Amino acid sequence: MSSNDKVETLRWVGNADGHLVLIDQTLLPVEFREIDCHSIEQVWEAIKQLRVRGAPAIGIAAAYGVCIGIRDAADEAALLAQLSRSTAYLATSRPTAVNLFWALDRMKAKAESLAGQPISVVQATLLDEAKSIHEEDRAMCHAIGKHGATLLRDGQGVLTHCNAGGLATAEYGTALSVFFTAQDEGKHLRVFVGETRPLLQGARLTAWELCRRNIDATLICDSMAAQVMREGKIQAVITGADRIAANGDSANKIGTYSIAVLARAHNIPFYIAAPSSTFDLAIADGSAIPIEERSSEEITHGFGRQTAPADVKVYNPAFDVTPAEYIRAIITEQGLIQPVSVANIRQVLGHAT
Ligand code: MRU
């Protein structure tokens, strides 16, 4: 694969009786392999095991998963039962990224609007809906890049965490879309990438994407962020988000909150880049965001090798919440939310009361 080859994080093959193809992100950067998902259990497993990951990509995969879940229905009653079972089942795969629940709700609402239609029409229309979710995400990521690039200047050093790139979305990414757009505009950035313990999404995925795009990328351990900031190498931090509450509190990969605090201590602006599908305006603040806890083996046996005593107690929250007060602006496809406040969020997202 050359660095110009387009990478498709996920794609649907065939008509309503087709299947989903995903890049198995657990194998990157060593191996590029796609997997075929013909059953809803395979989609659930792929989300759970982070073969497909990143908030928007999880939502898109789940929408296609619903199409697989209703594929074999023989009549309307069976289809409705399968729809309800499929959406409930996929909702148990991961708890934090709201895009998953947003996409499942959208698929359910579309199905309800088709009551009484022949099931072949419902199946085809739900596939169209999943494809719309997919295509809209591509467009939103593009727009986020354009808005976000206005914040960056030629020659700046920027830090990102986890992977908010094309692999986490339909294409381009959110935080990485900002870097890609800035580069397309002729700005040379020096991007620092936190490796993102314990699963190394920064090292394995973000570094891979940046290198493929010939962006000046430097990998650091998560614990090095303060030192790199003190050395004056970072002028802005941009990360993605998995769920943003009505007041702007933002959940993202574990370690994001500490970076935001460090950015504040060094007077460096900290930005979140996220599409409107990542906002959960039903919750007032970040205290209501469910934080996924993952297995202790991710810490004690990272990538197959034991690195801690087998009987040590482990705590492994996969996300943390950065309070809105640490976020200089949220970059959305609708524009910048700055300053981050309940009123500005509603206004920019078009929910002004
Ligand atoms: O556990 P992951 O890899 O799914 O976590 C992903 C992140 O935290 C991303 O930063 C977030 O989903 C934004 S992706 C555009």
Side-chain angles (χ1 to χ4, degrees), residues 277-339:
S277 52
T278 298
F279 285 77
D280 185 354
L281 300 185
I283 57 172
D285 61 51
S287 64
I289 299 178
I291 300 295
E292 178 180 14
E293 209 179 314
R294 294 187 64 87
S295 82
S296 55
E297 283 74 32
E298 289 183 355
I299 296 181
T300 58
H301 292 72
F303 301 94
R305 181 169 169 267
Q306 185 173 343
T307 55
D311 52 357
V312 70
K313 277 199 292 180
V314 169
Y315 177 47
N316 184 16
F319 297 93
D320 57 28
V321 176
T322 299
E325 61 180 294
Y326 289 92
I327 305 169
R328 179 73 61 88
I330 303 177
I331 308 160
T332 76
E333 80 279 6
Q334 315 272 7
L336 300 182
I337 298 171
Q338 185 177 27

Side-chain angles (χ1 to χ4, degrees), residues 28-29 34 85 101 108 133 193 198 228 247 274 286:
L28 287 171
E34 291 184 322
R85 258 202 316 274
F101 308 97
K108 274 191 282 191
I133 289 172
V193 182
V228 175
N247 72 340

Side-chain angles (χ1 to χ4, degrees), residues 215-238:
I215 289 190
D216 181 345
T218 304
L219 182 63
I220 58 170
C221 298
D222 301 333
S223 51
M224 296 168 186
Q227 178 64 18
V228 175
M229 287 181 184
R230 174 178 262 175
E231 289 172 8
K233 293 186 164 79
I234 309 288
Q235 281 69 52
V237 179
I238 308 183

Side-chain angles (χ1 to χ4, degrees), residues 50 53-56 58 94 161-165 168-169 174 201 240-242 252-253 319:
L50 276 57
R53 32 72 42 212
I58 293 172
R94 293 191 76 188
H161 188 62
C162 194
N163 173 263
T169 60
T174 56
Q201 289 93 330
D242 286 81
N252 191 49
K253 179 52 57 195
F319 297 93

Side-chain angles (χ1 to χ4, degrees), residues 180-224:
F180 297 152
T181 308
Q183 168 165 283
D184 290 345
E185 291 174 354
K187 296 171 189 166
H188 177 263
L189 301 175
R190 286 170 288 106
V191 181
F192 287 83
V193 182
E195 63 176 352
T196 316
R197 280 279 291 148
L199 295 183
L200 304 183
Q201 289 93 330
R204 295 186 302 104
L205 309 175
T206 299
W208 183 77
E209 286 198 49
L210 294 173
C211 289
R212 282 175 52 86
R213 296 282 297 239
N214 297 319
I215 289 190
D216 181 345
T218 304
L219 182 63
I220 58 170
C221 298
D222 301 333
S223 51
M224 296 168 186

Side-chain angles (χ1 to χ4, degrees), residues 125-141:
T125 311
L126 285 184
L127 178 59
D128 286 345
E129 188 69 2
K131 286 182 175 171
S132 297
I133 289 172
H134 195 168
E135 286 315 309
E136 286 166 25
D137 188 66
R138 211 184 292 275
M140 288 193 289
C141 288

